[in-house]
mmCIF file of all heavy atoms in Angstrom:
data_model
loop_
_atom_site.group_PDB
_atom_site.id
_atom_site.type_symbol
_atom_site.label_atom_id
_atom_site.label_comp_id
_atom_site.label_asym_id
_atom_site.label_seq_id
_atom_site.Cartn_x
_atom_site.Cartn_y
_atom_site.Cartn_z
ATOM 1 N N LYS A 1 86.067 93.528 96.747
ATOM 2 C CA LYS A 1 86.666 93.527 95.428
ATOM 3 C C LYS A 1 87.579 94.630 95.236
ATOM 4 O O LYS A 1 87.243 95.794 95.473
ATOM 5 C CB LYS A 1 85.547 93.541 94.403
ATOM 6 C CG LYS A 1 86.013 93.438 92.926
ATOM 7 C CD LYS A 1 84.784 93.341 92.027
ATOM 8 C CE LYS A 1 85.223 93.037 90.605
ATOM 9 N NZ LYS A 1 84.047 92.789 89.673
ATOM 10 N N ASP A 2 88.831 94.303 94.891
ATOM 11 C CA ASP A 2 89.869 95.314 94.768
ATOM 12 C C ASP A 2 89.840 95.875 93.346
ATOM 13 O O ASP A 2 90.207 95.240 92.340
ATOM 14 C CB ASP A 2 91.275 94.696 95.024
ATOM 15 C CG ASP A 2 92.419 95.676 95.044
ATOM 16 O OD1 ASP A 2 92.163 96.873 94.649
ATOM 17 O OD2 ASP A 2 93.548 95.252 95.425
ATOM 18 N N HIS A 3 89.361 97.125 93.212
ATOM 19 C CA HIS A 3 89.250 97.785 91.933
ATOM 20 C C HIS A 3 90.427 98.351 91.397
ATOM 21 O O HIS A 3 90.499 98.978 90.351
ATOM 22 C CB HIS A 3 88.087 98.813 92.017
ATOM 23 C CG HIS A 3 86.730 98.305 92.178
ATOM 24 N ND1 HIS A 3 86.052 97.619 91.183
ATOM 25 C CD2 HIS A 3 85.891 98.293 93.212
ATOM 26 C CE1 HIS A 3 84.916 97.178 91.625
ATOM 27 N NE2 HIS A 3 84.755 97.575 92.848
ATOM 28 N N ARG A 4 91.631 98.150 92.103
ATOM 29 C CA ARG A 4 92.931 98.580 91.568
ATOM 30 C C ARG A 4 93.469 97.510 90.608
ATOM 31 O O ARG A 4 94.329 97.765 89.867
ATOM 32 C CB ARG A 4 93.895 98.729 92.788
ATOM 33 C CG ARG A 4 93.531 99.850 93.763
ATOM 34 C CD ARG A 4 94.457 99.810 94.949
ATOM 35 N NE ARG A 4 94.349 98.480 95.620
ATOM 36 C CZ ARG A 4 94.984 98.248 96.761
ATOM 37 N NH1 ARG A 4 95.777 99.152 97.325
ATOM 38 N NH2 ARG A 4 94.827 97.074 97.339
ATOM 39 N N ARG A 5 92.918 96.239 90.691
ATOM 40 C CA ARG A 5 93.438 95.156 89.882
ATOM 41 C C ARG A 5 92.936 95.185 88.497
ATOM 42 O O ARG A 5 91.824 95.583 88.202
ATOM 43 C CB ARG A 5 93.092 93.800 90.580
ATOM 44 C CG ARG A 5 93.661 93.667 91.959
ATOM 45 C CD ARG A 5 93.303 92.328 92.540
ATOM 46 N NE ARG A 5 93.752 91.216 91.727
ATOM 47 C CZ ARG A 5 93.486 89.952 91.996
ATOM 48 N NH1 ARG A 5 92.764 89.598 93.074
ATOM 49 N NH2 ARG A 5 93.908 88.957 91.190
ATOM 50 N N ALA A 6 93.737 94.709 87.552
ATOM 51 C CA ALA A 6 93.354 94.619 86.168
ATOM 52 C C ALA A 6 92.100 93.732 86.014
ATOM 53 O O ALA A 6 92.019 92.742 86.649
ATOM 54 C CB ALA A 6 94.475 94.091 85.326
ATOM 55 N N GLY A 7 91.211 94.160 85.258
ATOM 56 C CA GLY A 7 89.926 93.453 85.056
ATOM 57 C C GLY A 7 88.827 93.768 85.994
ATOM 58 O O GLY A 7 87.714 93.394 85.820
ATOM 59 N N ASN A 8 89.171 94.580 86.987
ATOM 60 C CA ASN A 8 88.177 94.975 88.058
ATOM 61 C C ASN A 8 87.816 96.456 87.861
ATOM 62 O O ASN A 8 87.356 97.084 88.839
ATOM 63 C CB ASN A 8 88.698 94.675 89.431
ATOM 64 C CG ASN A 8 88.677 93.266 89.786
ATOM 65 O OD1 ASN A 8 88.156 92.425 89.045
ATOM 66 N ND2 ASN A 8 89.237 92.948 90.904
ATOM 67 N N GLY A 9 88.084 97.041 86.686
ATOM 68 C CA GLY A 9 87.799 98.462 86.521
ATOM 69 C C GLY A 9 86.283 98.768 86.425
ATOM 70 O O GLY A 9 85.475 97.881 86.206
ATOM 71 N N PHE A 10 85.956 99.974 86.620
ATOM 72 C CA PHE A 10 84.545 100.429 86.467
ATOM 73 C C PHE A 10 84.500 101.896 86.157
ATOM 74 O O PHE A 10 85.501 102.628 86.347
ATOM 75 C CB PHE A 10 83.749 100.073 87.762
ATOM 76 C CG PHE A 10 84.095 100.901 88.967
ATOM 77 C CD1 PHE A 10 83.299 101.958 89.343
ATOM 78 C CD2 PHE A 10 85.246 100.661 89.720
ATOM 79 C CE1 PHE A 10 83.639 102.702 90.482
ATOM 80 C CE2 PHE A 10 85.556 101.315 90.843
ATOM 81 C CZ PHE A 10 84.746 102.486 91.213
ATOM 82 N N ASP A 11 83.362 102.315 85.752
ATOM 83 C CA ASP A 11 83.124 103.745 85.463
ATOM 84 C C ASP A 11 82.662 104.372 86.734
ATOM 85 O O ASP A 11 81.610 104.121 87.286
ATOM 86 C CB ASP A 11 82.048 103.835 84.339
ATOM 87 C CG ASP A 11 81.768 105.307 83.918
ATOM 88 O OD1 ASP A 11 82.289 106.223 84.548
ATOM 89 O OD2 ASP A 11 80.969 105.501 83.038
ATOM 90 N N ALA A 12 83.450 105.275 87.235
ATOM 91 C CA ALA A 12 83.287 105.849 88.620
ATOM 92 C C ALA A 12 82.294 107.007 88.713
ATOM 93 O O ALA A 12 81.945 107.480 89.768
ATOM 94 C CB ALA A 12 84.550 106.238 89.272
ATOM 95 N N SER A 13 81.909 107.537 87.527
ATOM 96 C CA SER A 13 81.035 108.720 87.549
ATOM 97 C C SER A 13 79.810 108.593 86.623
ATOM 98 O O SER A 13 79.936 108.054 85.552
ATOM 99 C CB SER A 13 81.833 109.990 87.151
ATOM 100 O OG SER A 13 81.010 111.093 87.016
ATOM 101 N N ASP A 14 78.696 109.100 87.129
ATOM 102 C CA ASP A 14 77.496 109.240 86.299
ATOM 103 C C ASP A 14 77.179 110.666 85.971
ATOM 104 O O ASP A 14 76.115 110.980 85.617
ATOM 105 C CB ASP A 14 76.316 108.526 87.009
ATOM 106 C CG ASP A 14 75.949 109.210 88.314
ATOM 107 O OD1 ASP A 14 76.739 110.114 88.770
ATOM 108 O OD2 ASP A 14 74.934 108.809 88.846
ATOM 109 N N LYS A 15 78.211 111.511 86.153
ATOM 110 C CA LYS A 15 78.063 112.954 85.975
ATOM 111 C C LYS A 15 78.731 113.556 84.742
ATOM 112 O O LYS A 15 78.537 114.632 84.341
ATOM 113 C CB LYS A 15 78.590 113.725 87.213
ATOM 114 C CG LYS A 15 78.042 113.223 88.483
ATOM 115 C CD LYS A 15 76.531 113.470 88.666
ATOM 116 C CE LYS A 15 76.038 113.037 90.038
ATOM 117 N NZ LYS A 15 74.587 113.199 90.148
ATOM 118 N N ASP A 16 79.653 112.701 84.085
ATOM 119 C CA ASP A 16 80.479 113.286 83.020
ATOM 120 C C ASP A 16 80.033 112.867 81.625
ATOM 121 O O ASP A 16 80.676 113.176 80.599
ATOM 122 C CB ASP A 16 81.884 112.867 83.242
ATOM 123 C CG ASP A 16 82.050 111.343 83.229
ATOM 124 O OD1 ASP A 16 81.072 110.635 83.071
ATOM 125 O OD2 ASP A 16 83.198 110.900 83.472
ATOM 126 N N ASP A 17 78.890 112.186 81.452
ATOM 127 C CA ASP A 17 78.384 111.766 80.153
ATOM 128 C C ASP A 17 79.394 111.004 79.353
ATOM 129 O O ASP A 17 79.508 111.167 78.163
ATOM 130 C CB ASP A 17 77.905 113.006 79.379
ATOM 131 C CG ASP A 17 76.631 113.613 80.039
ATOM 132 O OD1 ASP A 17 75.802 112.890 80.535
ATOM 133 O OD2 ASP A 17 76.545 114.833 80.022
ATOM 134 N N ALA A 18 80.253 110.197 80.076
ATOM 135 C CA ALA A 18 81.312 109.470 79.340
ATOM 136 C C ALA A 18 81.446 108.147 80.023
ATOM 137 O O ALA A 18 81.081 107.932 81.169
ATOM 138 C CB ALA A 18 82.644 110.256 79.394
ATOM 139 N N CYS A 19 82.080 107.224 79.258
ATOM 140 C CA CYS A 19 82.313 105.900 79.787
ATOM 141 C C CYS A 19 83.829 105.746 79.968
ATOM 142 O O CYS A 19 84.612 105.659 79.029
ATOM 143 C CB CYS A 19 81.831 104.808 78.845
ATOM 144 S SG CYS A 19 82.091 103.159 79.380
ATOM 145 N N GLN A 20 84.253 105.791 81.248
ATOM 146 C CA GLN A 20 85.715 105.719 81.507
ATOM 147 C C GLN A 20 85.921 104.523 82.509
ATOM 148 O O GLN A 20 86.020 104.748 83.684
ATOM 149 C CB GLN A 20 86.187 106.996 82.131
ATOM 150 C CG GLN A 20 85.950 108.223 81.254
ATOM 151 C CD GLN A 20 86.650 109.472 81.825
ATOM 152 O OE1 GLN A 20 87.829 109.422 82.210
ATOM 153 N NE2 GLN A 20 85.959 110.556 81.811
ATOM 154 N N ILE A 21 85.979 103.310 81.891
ATOM 155 C CA ILE A 21 86.184 102.186 82.691
ATOM 156 C C ILE A 21 87.724 102.051 83.009
ATOM 157 O O ILE A 21 88.495 101.925 82.041
ATOM 158 C CB ILE A 21 85.674 100.893 82.047
ATOM 159 C CG1 ILE A 21 84.123 101.048 81.892
ATOM 160 C CG2 ILE A 21 86.035 99.635 82.805
ATOM 161 C CD1 ILE A 21 83.487 99.912 81.167
ATOM 162 N N GLN A 22 88.099 102.079 84.239
ATOM 163 C CA GLN A 22 89.497 102.007 84.586
ATOM 164 C C GLN A 22 89.690 101.569 86.013
ATOM 165 O O GLN A 22 88.638 101.452 86.743
ATOM 166 C CB GLN A 22 90.247 103.323 84.421
ATOM 167 C CG GLN A 22 89.714 104.444 85.233
ATOM 168 C CD GLN A 22 90.289 105.823 84.844
ATOM 169 O OE1 GLN A 22 89.997 106.348 83.784
ATOM 170 N NE2 GLN A 22 91.161 106.351 85.671
ATOM 171 N N GLN A 23 90.868 101.271 86.456
ATOM 172 C CA GLN A 23 91.097 100.834 87.781
ATOM 173 C C GLN A 23 91.033 102.148 88.722
ATOM 174 O O GLN A 23 91.478 103.211 88.272
ATOM 175 C CB GLN A 23 92.434 100.202 87.955
ATOM 176 C CG GLN A 23 92.467 98.778 87.535
ATOM 177 C CD GLN A 23 92.517 98.627 86.008
ATOM 178 O OE1 GLN A 23 93.308 99.252 85.289
ATOM 179 N NE2 GLN A 23 91.550 97.912 85.472
ATOM 180 N N TRP A 24 90.520 101.879 89.890
ATOM 181 C CA TRP A 24 90.405 103.001 90.883
ATOM 182 C C TRP A 24 90.873 102.507 92.258
ATOM 183 O O TRP A 24 90.700 101.341 92.537
ATOM 184 C CB TRP A 24 88.918 103.535 90.972
ATOM 185 C CG TRP A 24 88.402 104.018 89.754
ATOM 186 C CD1 TRP A 24 87.683 103.377 88.795
ATOM 187 C CD2 TRP A 24 88.537 105.401 89.225
ATOM 188 N NE1 TRP A 24 87.333 104.210 87.726
ATOM 189 C CE2 TRP A 24 87.832 105.470 88.028
ATOM 190 C CE3 TRP A 24 89.153 106.542 89.727
ATOM 191 C CZ2 TRP A 24 87.793 106.605 87.245
ATOM 192 C CZ3 TRP A 24 89.054 107.738 89.015
ATOM 193 C CH2 TRP A 24 88.381 107.783 87.810
ATOM 194 N N PRO A 25 91.408 103.351 93.074
ATOM 195 C CA PRO A 25 91.963 102.884 94.383
ATOM 196 C C PRO A 25 90.853 102.749 95.386
ATOM 197 O O PRO A 25 90.881 103.407 96.488
ATOM 198 C CB PRO A 25 92.973 103.981 94.738
ATOM 199 C CG PRO A 25 92.374 105.224 94.087
ATOM 200 C CD PRO A 25 91.738 104.784 92.851
ATOM 201 N N VAL A 26 89.928 101.969 95.102
ATOM 202 C CA VAL A 26 88.822 101.714 96.085
ATOM 203 C C VAL A 26 88.490 100.193 96.132
ATOM 204 O O VAL A 26 88.906 99.464 95.288
ATOM 205 C CB VAL A 26 87.522 102.510 95.684
ATOM 206 C CG1 VAL A 26 87.788 103.973 95.732
ATOM 207 C CG2 VAL A 26 87.051 102.030 94.315
ATOM 208 N N PHE A 27 87.794 99.820 97.209
ATOM 209 C CA PHE A 27 87.289 98.479 97.277
ATOM 210 C C PHE A 27 85.750 98.495 97.232
ATOM 211 O O PHE A 27 85.106 99.357 97.708
ATOM 212 C CB PHE A 27 87.654 97.826 98.646
ATOM 213 C CG PHE A 27 89.136 97.559 98.718
ATOM 214 C CD1 PHE A 27 90.050 98.538 99.072
ATOM 215 C CD2 PHE A 27 89.589 96.300 98.401
ATOM 216 C CE1 PHE A 27 91.445 98.235 99.162
ATOM 217 C CE2 PHE A 27 91.014 96.003 98.470
ATOM 218 C CZ PHE A 27 91.904 96.963 98.850
ATOM 219 N N GLY A 28 85.175 97.420 96.598
ATOM 220 C CA GLY A 28 83.723 97.307 96.449
ATOM 221 C C GLY A 28 83.270 96.048 97.231
ATOM 222 O O GLY A 28 84.063 95.212 97.630
ATOM 223 N N ILE A 29 81.954 95.929 97.371
ATOM 224 C CA ILE A 29 81.406 94.768 97.987
ATOM 225 C C ILE A 29 80.533 94.105 96.962
ATOM 226 O O ILE A 29 79.914 94.736 96.092
ATOM 227 C CB ILE A 29 80.678 95.011 99.295
ATOM 228 C CG1 ILE A 29 79.637 96.154 99.194
ATOM 229 C CG2 ILE A 29 81.653 95.334 100.408
ATOM 230 C CD1 ILE A 29 78.886 96.434 100.454
#
């Protein structure tokens, strides 16, 4: 899954006490 594409964003951190859903230059399975 290409997380750079619109609609494939996610919150990449569980350390910042915030919800930041956005695109990231990574691939998921």
Side-chain angles (χ1 to χ4, degrees):
K1 184 172 185 175
D2 186 350
H3 291 289
R4 298 171 300 182
R5 297 181 59 182
N8 288 352
F10 70 102
D11 183 355
S13 175
D14 62 353
K15 306 296 184 184
D16 58 3
D17 295 322
C19 180
Q20 299 187 49
I21 297 176
Q22 61 190 70
Q23 283 74 55
W24 299 93
V26 296
F27 289 86
I29 51 179

